[in-house]
Amino acid sequence: MSGRVIQLKPPKLPDCFAVLDKEEANRQVYQALANGSKLIVNVSGGKDGLATLLIARYEMGLSPQQLIVHHQLLPEAWPGTLEYIEAICRQLGVTFWFDQCDYGGYECGNCGFHYTSSRVDQTICPECKSNTGVELTRLRGVLDLVAHRRKWPDSKVRFCTDYTKIRVFNSRLKQELATIGPTPVTVLGERWRESAQRQQLPWLRERPKFNTQQVRLLEYRPILDYRRIEAFRKLRQYGITPHYAYFAQGMTEHQMFELDEESGPRCSCVMCIFAQPEHVRRAYELPLVKSLVERAVQIEAESGHRWKARQSLAEVIQPRKLANLTAEDFL
């Protein structure tokens, strides 16, 4: 497995409220929770989200009653992820919520534009503004969105994260305003070393486009300065076995706990656009996910849009052809 080193740069100050000092961010988190508000940890099953959960449960001095884990359920996730997170939450004694996206996939009868909406009977086309939209299908996962939009997400347009995670989380919290308190804190496992975009994230900020008259929601990122190895070691410290997806993609315990480098397998959608081709190829070899990858390949072919700009999923999973060698080839 090839590693990569990311040079950290000081984050830029966002337009909204943000705290760039770690100690000050921690102080404001405790102040926000002092009125009985909840700490809600986003967990997808990967090492980073679980590391933040373990920090919240065992190192912040909070009671289990102050913690909620939220998981955004995805059909494209590694099978068994829901049960894996649920078992950890039982072990830690914390509340577990999970939700799945469910949108209408519409087509404009006037211009043919495909659009997505959570509203019932959203007949107004956002492109041409005509009132001729018709719902074609329900969209409950990333591949449904890809098929409807006829396009894969990319690093600039990450509609997968927007529709299946951020909006799902915000929707659930707006249903729970009476439960989460006036200044709840959502915890995210993002790290500066993961990408250039994440290097700009502050320790603490208000969640954009969420706050209501009743609730001010804060985003807290307690492991921004962590290395990959530190996140894995946090799981080992508290007796949590990493998700099987890492092992299935060829990662060893030595690479997790002893090798200090970045990158490597992801625990997200099986065919995540940020996954390395070699890891998707390994995943495809598992009977558990074979049909899932094959559906993605079919959608790719029907849309005419590649999984990645320079590589298709079909190319990734093709068996490598061996040359028909004869004795003369070795002479």
Side-chain angles (χ1 to χ4, degrees):
M1 180 191 307
S2 62
R4 59 187 173 91
V5 177
I6 295 180
Q7 298 295 327
L8 298 184
K9 301 176 183 178
K12 297 178 182 179
L13 187 66
D15 294 334
C16 60
F17 161 83
V19 179
L20 303 182
D21 179 76
K22 186 175 184 178
E23 291 186 6
E24 175 60 19
N26 291 339
R27 187 191 70 79
Q28 292 201 29
V29 166
Y30 284 110
Q31 184 178 11
L33 299 175
N35 58 18
S37 295
K38 302 291 187 180
L39 193 80
I40 305 109
V41 186
N42 280 264
V43 175
S44 66
K47 64 188 184 306
D48 298 326
L50 288 174
T52 64
L53 172 59
L54 294 167
I55 290 170
R57 176 65 181 86
Y58 293 119
E59 300 177 10
M60 291 184 64
L62 305 176
S63 69
Q65 291 72 31
Q66 290 177 277
L67 300 177
I68 298 170
V69 169
H70 189 261
H71 172 62
Q72 296 90 47
L73 185 64
L74 284 174
E76 297 77 18
W78 291 78
T81 297
L82 175 66
E83 293 77 9
Y84 170 72
I85 300 172
E86 192 171 24
I88 292 173
C89 290
R90 283 198 302 269
Q91 179 180 334
L92 303 185
V94 300
T95 300
F96 178 50
W97 292 346
F98 66 91
D99 295 282
Q100 183 175 353
C101 70
D102 186 6
Y103 304 103
Y106 292 84
E107 181 179 63
C108 176
N110 181 51
C111 69
F113 181 67
H114 279 204
Y115 59 97
T116 304
S117 178
S118 58
R119 294 174 56 186
V120 178
D121 297 330
Q122 178 59 25
T123 59
I124 305 296
C125 172
E127 190 74 7
C128 71
K129 311 303 179 184
S130 67
N131 187 18
T132 57
V134 176
E135 182 178 311
L136 300 180
T137 185
R138 301 303 299 179
L139 310 175
R140 297 184 173 89
V142 173
L143 290 181
D144 288 348
L145 287 162
V146 172
H148 182 66
R149 295 170 67 102
R150 304 169 188 150
K151 187 175 183 180
W152 287 83
D154 55 36
S155 58
K156 294 182 179 179
V157 184
R158 296 182 61 177
F159 61 80
C160 51
T161 301
D162 183 16
Y163 280 96
T164 68
K165 291 183 176 292
I166 297 173
R167 297 187 189 213
V168 171
F169 177 82
N170 288 351
S171 177
R172 178 60 185 258
L173 259 62
K174 287 180 179 180
Q175 297 172 34
E176 302 283 355
L177 295 180
T179 302
I180 59 178
T183 53
V185 179
T186 179
V187 181
L188 301 166
E190 294 163 324
R191 299 184 295 112
W192 281 329
R193 289 178 175 86
E194 290 182 289
S195 68
Q197 291 82 4
R198 291 188 175 183
Q199 285 184 32
Q200 307 307 316
L201 292 171
W203 294 99
L204 185 71
R205 72 177 180 186
E206 290 184 353
R207 167 149 288 203
K209 301 178 182 179
F210 177 89
N211 296 317
T212 67
Q213 291 183 346
Q214 302 96 334
V215 170
R216 177 182 181 232
L217 177 63
L218 300 178
E219 292 181 345
Y220 177 46
R221 295 172 171 84
I223 65 168
L224 274 175
D225 57 350
Y226 266 42
R227 307 184 72 84
R228 186 189 77 178
I229 193 173
E230 293 178 285
F232 274 121
R233 286 180 172 178
K234 187 63 65 176
L235 272 62
R236 184 173 66 178
Q237 178 182 349
Y238 292 105
I240 301 298
T241 302
H243 196 293
Y244 78 90
Y246 293 112
F247 301 98
Q249 294 172 90
M251 200 172 196
T252 65
E253 289 191 356
H254 173 77
Q255 290 168 325
M256 293 176 188
F257 304 120
E258 307 302 331
L259 193 61
D260 188 6
E261 66 179 28
E262 298 302 313
S263 189
R266 302 171 58 85
C267 181
S268 53
C269 291
V270 171
M271 72 297 294
C272 176
I273 58 169
F274 297 109
Q276 296 177 21
E278 64 185 271
H279 299 145
V280 176
R281 190 178 297 113
R282 282 181 175 269
Y284 182 63
E285 295 172 0
L286 296 178
L288 280 173
V289 299
K290 191 177 183 70
S291 61
L292 183 59
V293 177
E294 287 177 345
R295 184 190 174 213
V297 170
Q298 180 182 356
I299 289 172
E300 180 185 57
E302 292 172 350
S303 68
H305 189 260
R306 287 172 171 246
W307 172 60
K308 294 189 179 186
R310 297 182 180 179
Q311 191 168 37
S312 70
L313 268 177
E315 293 169 340
V316 168
I317 66 171
Q318 281 179 349
R320 297 177 180 176
K321 297 180 180 179
L322 299 177
N324 295 320
L325 301 179
T326 65
E328 287 77 15
D329 293 312
F330 297 93
L331 297 178

